[in-house]
């Protein structure tokens, strides 16, 4: 299972964290510090796996962002590597050629999408189309509620005029 | 730039990004937190939009790594908002901010449950996602039934169903009892019929977890898994959206193959054939392609297929195909594949005997040790360590030594340890071993722990032929201008003991040796000075006739240190000074150290410890587990059908080395008067090297030997034919240890090692015996017969008559418990080595408490049961005297180790313990057992024990079992009998130093 997901920029800024195993805030900071130190310093032509405290971190760099997922020693590393790519492709489709800025200003969207891809540290959906559809439905639900609220407030505003 | 749709949030993020430095950022964050805090305080004025905005800001700040210790309540309260937009934010932020142990989560359980059982699909999804991501034990207990219902409901749509499956997986991980195995296996089988691949992927994850916990319940699902694989492998009706770079859902393929690895075998020939066809297709049909993602995905499947083939131990044809593939992989340029190739080779070494084939790739693996990538180097190191044997030890260890010079600091200690262990285990000759360790100290002294050099001293002391060589080497190192302190210690020690053997060589007169050691004294630390002082005393003793000049020099040093501030140095100086004035008597007192008794290599033990919390599969660990304590024992011959007597017989047995060592210490203390007084008498042989006891009378002078002979007489097994081959482990001790754990070594002698691994489920058990041949020739006439007591049904699969050299065979043994009894099953194991027949009767740890399953009871559950079982024979009480004194905590641990789970606080009296367990046998089915122990704080040696269960025999047997445990821990109460340490050369032919070393381990 995936214990946690980290998105770290090349400068070591955290762009997203998701913890599927219980870590206290203190431990979380420590993990991020340790791992960004290890992973950001790795050269480009090395393998995508880092052994760390009896666990394994699978990571991949996309432009200025490092996507990292931490798994057990015996888990299938390549499978996780492609989950990362799967997630990136979905982000890419959603934002239309995603860049780091998209994820900074819409970090909540990145979280919503991640929740459609992973639950309990396991892959939930491997169809990009399905994930895109579900996220779009959520967006439209939010939009609809906004419009509704606006129209009601309009009505009230008019009525109390 | 896409914006979040919330202006305030975007502005805040921009401002944070605009901060020039960390300090500015912190100020901005603090300002914002202050603002949010005030806004939350006057909550009335907050619109839902504002609330959402602030909660997002909090999450952003939290993500940046700042502590956010307020506002959790606001986030949680959004969960109960009626509208989707607020609810969505509430669920997501809560699941990010809080972890499963947070108290606020408890407050939300009801709301969450209402969303799960409600009719609104989108709300169901939100709730299931939160529970799946951060649900804890409490959630498991209160929500699992609802989630299960949802998962099997026919009206539940895929988008909810797949979340429900993973949510249940989380709850199951938190508390396996929430899934009722009996009813669930059919349901699980239905779930595996799912056509929607999204749902099936999630269900398969759930299945992997269930089956890893208990495969027995899910046999019916096995063919379904194979079916899934067939469909995917043939790409039959797999929707386009579920293919990934042209591969039908690689994730589902991997998960399905993973699930199959939890079944021990596949019996149905058709299913097996179908699966092997799929595997064959994967192994043959995976090519390296240009597209990196396609390549990764197909290799993810390939490596999983490899693991499955290894597990099913297929026809040898496929296994060799696997090794060939791995051999190809470790040579490719793609680093991921190279890494995985090395990793899987190491795994493969552990499951089957492929050492010889893997050795062909040794050169390639050694190249990987020089890879620029530390991850790959680590894998290469593990693999080299695992594949090392007598034939290639020299090459491998020399490579490791070479690598030590350039390795990063984080790896050096592990590297040094591994090199030392391999050198010790597989040395073709002992002088090479000494060379390796000295080089190790020379190159990486900081990373060579004390036990490494202690070990080399032990070897040298125990092997006379080696002594001049070692002394010469030590002398050579001392010529170097700068040497490591550890090297100083080992050289000084060796030269003190053995430099007289070199005295005819140039530059090796006592005076010169003394000079070169003493030159270094100003540079060394206090503990090393103590060792140097001992060396001086020894040199003095060896220079006969005495050289007055040298004598005066050394005496001057002793008297200088008589006032040393360090008590240890002071004591040595005073004592050595006094002793060295005794003239000829000095020779007796300061004679050479006697041979060390053989014992477990503490290096291997340490390797075991350091690895314990890391890699399960790590090679070092599995190797280390095959090594056991080297305490000397006589075989305890056991009458097969009288296990009770066995226990008594076992009491008349050799003590462990520790005791013996203590004994020697005492002996010396007596002979040497003040020496050693105030020293802790620990049994650690390594400690001895550093203690003043390093000076000791020659062996045989003290009373030790006479005593030992008496001891040996007392030990002669009566009326049993004696084996020529002695075990090198304490069989009884091991047996007792195995009674409370499930894997370990059952027996070991210089040729054979028997490991055991057990799994228990209810009234059944499955043991696997690992019969290992340690030698380089094959073992013949191997026989293993089970002598089973009437209450156990035991079935041992066939045992091959011949075990090939250095091979290990696995023999599964099925156990069924018919009724409660403390009788013990015995394995009669015999083999022929050369002309001698070795026969041992070994007790099998299939004992009463293995059929317990822990259960924790609340007061409401316990007391009614306790009252129902009111009188004998169902409830028995006994006052036990002569109890081994132990604290209540220790007693609780003891009970827990027997799977009698202590419920603290259940008994109002703090001096009492209450424990419960469930016992399984065919006649009793599952039966609750209750235990209460009332101790007397004034007298720890007595207690009153009450045991209750629904079966009279069970109650009695359980009572006796606990009593046995309380009265004595079998190893501690042995009579103090001693035996002479066995000479190192004993059963092993001295012409094979490798075997000799292996025997020493």
């Amino acid at each position: 299972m995936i214990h946690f997901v980290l998105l770290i920029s090349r400068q070591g800024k955290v762009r997203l964290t998701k913890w599927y195993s219980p870590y206290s805030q203190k431990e979380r900071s420590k993990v991020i510090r340790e791992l960004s130190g290890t992973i950001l310093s790795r050269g480009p032509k090395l393998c995508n796996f880092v052994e760390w405290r009896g666990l394994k971190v699978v990571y991949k760099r996309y432009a200025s962002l490092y996507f990292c997922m931490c798994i057990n020693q015996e888990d299938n590393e390549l499978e996780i590597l492609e989950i990362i790519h799967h997630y990136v492709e979905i982000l890419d489709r959603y934002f239309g050629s995603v860049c780091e800025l998209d994820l900074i200003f819409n970090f909540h969207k990145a979280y919503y999408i991640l929740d459609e891809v992973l639950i309990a540290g396991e892959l939930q959906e491997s169809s990009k189309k399905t994930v895109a559809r579900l996220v779009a439905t959520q967006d439209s639900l939010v939009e609809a509620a906004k419009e509704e609220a606006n129209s009601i407030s309009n009505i009230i505003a008019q009525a109390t005029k | 730039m896409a914006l979040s749709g919330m202006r305030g949030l975007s502005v805040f993020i921009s401002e944070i990004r605009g901060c020039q430095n960390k300090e500015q950022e912190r100020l901005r964050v603090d300002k914002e937190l202050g603002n949010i805090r005030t806004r939350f305080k006057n909550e009335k004025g907050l619109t839902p939009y504002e609330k959402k905005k602030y909660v997002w800001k909090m999450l952003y700040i939290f993500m940046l790594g700042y502590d956010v210790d307020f506002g959790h309540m606001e986030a949680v309260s959004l969960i109960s908002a009626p509208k989707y937009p607020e609810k969505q934010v509430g669920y997501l932020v809560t699941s990010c901010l809080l972890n499963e142990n947070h108290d606020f989560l408890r407050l939300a359980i009801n709301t969450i449950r209402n969303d799960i059982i409600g009719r609104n699909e989108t709300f169901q999804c939100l709730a299931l996602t939160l529970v799946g991501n951060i649900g804890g034990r409490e959630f498991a207990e209160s929500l699992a039934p609802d989630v299960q219902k949802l998962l099997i409901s026919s009206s539940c749509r895929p988008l909810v169903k797949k979340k429900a499956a993973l949510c249940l997986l989380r709850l199951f991980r938190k508390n396996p009892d929430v899934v009722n195995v009996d009813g669930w296996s059919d349901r699980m089988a239905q779930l595996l019929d799912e056509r929607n691949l999204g749902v099936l992927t999630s269900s398969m994850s759930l299945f992997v977890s269930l089956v890893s916990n208990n495969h027995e319940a899910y046999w019916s699902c096995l063919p379904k898994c194979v079916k899934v694989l067939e469909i995917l492998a043939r790409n039959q009706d797999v929707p386009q959206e579920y293919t990934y770079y042209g591969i039908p859902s690689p994730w589902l393929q991997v998960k399905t193959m993973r699930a199959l690895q939890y079944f021990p075998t596949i019996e149905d020939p058709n299913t097996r054939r179908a699966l092997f066809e799929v595997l064959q297709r994967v192994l043959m049909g995976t090519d390296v392609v240009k597209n990196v993602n396609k390549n990764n995905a197909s290799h993810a499947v390939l490596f999983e297929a490899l693991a499955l083939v290894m597990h099913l131990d297929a026809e040898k044809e496929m296994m060799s195909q696997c090794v060939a593939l791995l051999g190809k992989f470790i040579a490719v340029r793609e680093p991921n594949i190279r890494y995985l190739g090395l990793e899987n080779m190491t795994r493969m070494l552990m499951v089957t005997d492929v050492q010889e084939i893997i050795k062909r790739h040794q050169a390639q693996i050694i190249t990987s040790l020089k890879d620029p990538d530390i991850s790959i180097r680590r894998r290469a190191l593990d693999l080299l360590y695992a594949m090392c044997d007598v034939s290639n030890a020299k090459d491998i260890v020399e490579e490791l030594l070479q690598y030590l010079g350039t390795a990063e600091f984080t790896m050096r200690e592990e590297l040094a340890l591994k090199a030392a262990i391999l050198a010790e285990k597989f040395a073709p000759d002992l002088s090479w071993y000494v060379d390796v360790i000295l080089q190790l100290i020379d190159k990486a002294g900081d990373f060579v722990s004390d036990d490494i050099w202690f070990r080399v001293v032990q070897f040298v002391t125990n092997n006379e032929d080696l002594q001049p060589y070692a002394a010469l080497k030590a002398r050579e190192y001392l010529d170097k201008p700068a040497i490591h302190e550890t090297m100083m210690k080992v050289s000084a020690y060796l030269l003190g003991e053995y430099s007289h053997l070199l005295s005819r060589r140039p530059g090796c007169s006592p005076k010169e040796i003394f000079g070169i050691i003493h030159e270094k004294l100003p540079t060394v630390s206090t503990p090393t000075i103590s060792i140097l002082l001992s060396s001086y005393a020894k040199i003095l003793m060896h220079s006969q006739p005495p050289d007055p000049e040298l004598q005066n020099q050394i005496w001057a040093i002793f008297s200088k240190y008589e006032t040393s501030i360090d008590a240890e140095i002071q004591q040595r100086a005073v004592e050595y000074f006094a002793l060295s004035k005794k003239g000829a008597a000095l020779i007796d007192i300061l004679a050479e150290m006697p041979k060390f008794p053989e014992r477990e290599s503490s290096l291997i033990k340490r390797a075991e410890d350091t690895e314990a919390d890391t890699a399960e599969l790590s090679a070092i660990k599995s190797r280390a587990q095959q090594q056991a304590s080297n305490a000397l024992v006589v075989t305890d011959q056991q009458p097969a059908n009288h296990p009770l007597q066995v226990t008594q017989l076992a009491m008349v047995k050799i003590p462990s080395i520790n005791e013996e060592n203590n004994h020697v210490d005492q002996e010396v203390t007596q002979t040497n008067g003040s020496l050693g007084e105030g020293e802790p008498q620990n049994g650690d042989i390594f400690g001895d090297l550093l203690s003043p006891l390093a000076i000791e009378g020659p062996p045989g002078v003290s009373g030790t030997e006479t005593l030992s002979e008496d001891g040996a007489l007392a030990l002669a097994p009566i009326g049993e034919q004696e084996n020529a081959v002695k075990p090198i482990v304490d069989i009884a001790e091991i047996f007792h240890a195995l009674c409370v754990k499930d894997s370990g070594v059952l027996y070991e002698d210089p040729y054979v090692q028997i490991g055991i691994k057990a799994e228990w489920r209810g009234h059944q058990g499955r043991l696997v015996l690992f019969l290992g041949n340690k030698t380089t020739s094959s073992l013949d006439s191997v026989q293993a017969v089970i002598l089973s007591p009437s209450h156990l049904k035991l079935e041992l699969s066939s045992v091959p008559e011949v075990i090939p050299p250095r091979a290990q065979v696995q023999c599964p043994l099925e156990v069924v418990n018919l009724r409660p009894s403390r009788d013990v099953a015995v394995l009669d194991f015999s083999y022929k080595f050369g002309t001698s027949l070795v026969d041992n009767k070994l007790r099998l740890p299939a004992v009463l408490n293995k059929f317990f399953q822990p259960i924790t009871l609340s007061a409401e559950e316990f007391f009614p049961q306790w009252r129902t079982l009111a009188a004998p024979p169902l409830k028995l009480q006994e006052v036990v005297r002569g109890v081994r004194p132990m604290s209540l905590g220790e007693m609780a641990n003891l009970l827990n180790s027997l799977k009698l789970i202590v419920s603290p606080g259940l008994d109002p009296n703090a001096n009492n313990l209450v424990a419960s367990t469930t016992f399984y046998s065919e006649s009793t089915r599952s039966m609750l057992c209750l235990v209460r122990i009332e101790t007397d704080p004034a007298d720890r040696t007595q207690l009153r024990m009450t045991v209750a269960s629904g079966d009279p025999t069970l109650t009695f047997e359980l009572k006796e079992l606990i009593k046995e445990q309380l009265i004595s821990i079998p190893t501690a109460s042995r009579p103090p009998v001693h035996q002479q340490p066995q000479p190192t050369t004993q059963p092993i032919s001295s012409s094979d130093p490798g075997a000799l070393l292996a025997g020493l381990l």
Side-chain angles (χ1 to χ4, degrees), chain B residues 597-782:
Chain B
E598 288 146 48
R599 50 175 34 227
E600 175 181 10
S601 166
S602 72
L603 299 188
I604 289 167
K605 233 169 98 183
R606 234 189 57 199
E608 201 174 339
D609 293 344
T610 50
E611 294 287 313
D613 50 357
T614 58
E616 278 297 316
L617 280 169
S618 158
I620 191 169
K621 193 178 173 198
S622 75
R623 284 276 166 136
Q625 277 172 345
Q626 289 170 18
Q627 308 293 333
S629 143
N630 234 358
L632 295 167
V633 241
V634 276
T635 4
D636 50 343
Q637 302 288 349
Q638 298 152 357
N641 291 319
H642 303 284
L644 273 180
Q645 287 171 17
V646 168
T647 332
Q648 283 145 19
L649 261 186
M651 308 291 275
V652 194
K653 210 162 4 73
I654 289 290
S656 72
I657 286 298
N658 283 353
E659 281 162 85
E660 164 155 43
N661 208 48
N662 277 342
H663 174 72
V664 172
D665 285 354
Q666 279 155 15
E667 217 46 62
V668 172
T669 317
Q670 283 154 20
T671 356
N672 291 347
S674 72
L675 272 191
E677 249 172 27
E679 279 291 308
Q681 304 227 330
N682 63 358
D684 186 357
I685 198 96
F686 301 129
D688 294 350
L689 292 178
L690 291 174
S691 76
L693 294 179
I695 324 170
E696 193 183 304
V701 171
S702 70
T704 323
E705 203 172 53
T706 15
L707 248 178
S708 308
E709 271 168 15
D710 290 343
L713 272 182
L715 285 162
I718 304 150
E720 286 275 355
Q721 148 243 345
E722 199 178 344
N723 284 331
V725 179
K726 300 267 181 256
I728 53 173
V729 292
D730 184 334
I731 296 175
E733 202 168 293
I734 282 184
F735 171 75
H736 287 292
L738 284 173
C739 285
V740 291
K741 61 177 199 175
D742 284 337
S743 62
V745 173
L746 180 69
Y747 169 83
E748 185 167 4
D749 67 27
Y751 312 126
V752 175
Q753 186 193 53
I754 305 180
I756 193 164
K757 204 174 156 195
E759 280 171 42
W760 305 97
R761 192 154 300 282
H763 68 284
Q764 290 173 329
R766 186 186 156 87
L767 279 77
V768 184
L769 298 172
F770 298 85
L771 310 177
N773 176 359
K774 291 161 56 174
T775 66
T776 44
S777 49
S778 55
L779 284 184
D780 300 329
S781 312
V782 176

Side-chain angles (χ1 to χ4, degrees), chain B residues 413-487:
Chain B
E413 184 165 6
E414 187 188 350
L415 198 56
L417 183 64
K418 284 186 168 159
I421 293 175
L422 292 180
E424 178 178 330
K425 268 165 90 167
F426 301 118
D429 57 75
L430 288 170
S431 54
W432 177 80
Y433 168 73
V434 171
D435 284 346
V436 168
I437 302 298
L438 292 181
Q439 276 187 57
L440 205 60
I441 297 173
D442 187 41
K443 284 190 171 171
D446 285 344
F447 301 93
V448 174
S449 55
D450 277 346
D451 27 11
I452 293 183
W453 81 263
F454 290 170
R455 193 76 183 148
V456 81
V457 164
Q458 276 185 27
F459 271 106
V460 174
T461 310
N462 288 6
N463 292 280
E464 267 168 45
D465 302 349
L466 200 57
Q467 291 162 357
Y469 181 79
L472 187 64
K473 278 283 156 183
R475 171 74 185 79
E476 280 170 14
Y477 275 105
L478 281 185
D479 276 339
K480 289 185 127 190
I483 64 173
H484 192 271
E485 181 143 344
T486 306
M487 182 63 88

Side-chain angles (χ1 to χ4, degrees), chain B residues 764-816:
Chain B
Q764 290 173 329
R766 186 186 156 87
L767 279 77
V768 184
L769 298 172
F770 298 85
L771 310 177
N773 176 359
K774 291 161 56 174
T775 66
T776 44
S777 49
S778 55
L779 284 184
D780 300 329
S781 312
V782 176
Q783 270 195 337
V785 181
I786 300 286
L787 311 165
S788 70
S790 62
H791 75 287
L792 290 177
K793 208 160 82 191
L794 293 158
E795 242 171 86
L796 179 66
S797 68
S798 69
V799 176
E801 206 172 304
V802 179
I803 308 180
R806 290 208 169 263
Q808 191 185 56
V809 293
Q810 303 184 9
C811 310
L813 169 65
E814 305 289 342
V815 185
V816 179

Side-chain angles (χ1 to χ4, degrees), chain B residues 539-554:
Chain B
I539 292 174
L540 200 55
M541 179 274 290
H542 280 304
S543 54
Q544 297 298 340
D547 172 348
E549 197 189 327
L550 180 64
Q551 205 168 36
N552 288 332
Q553 257 178 313
I554 292 179

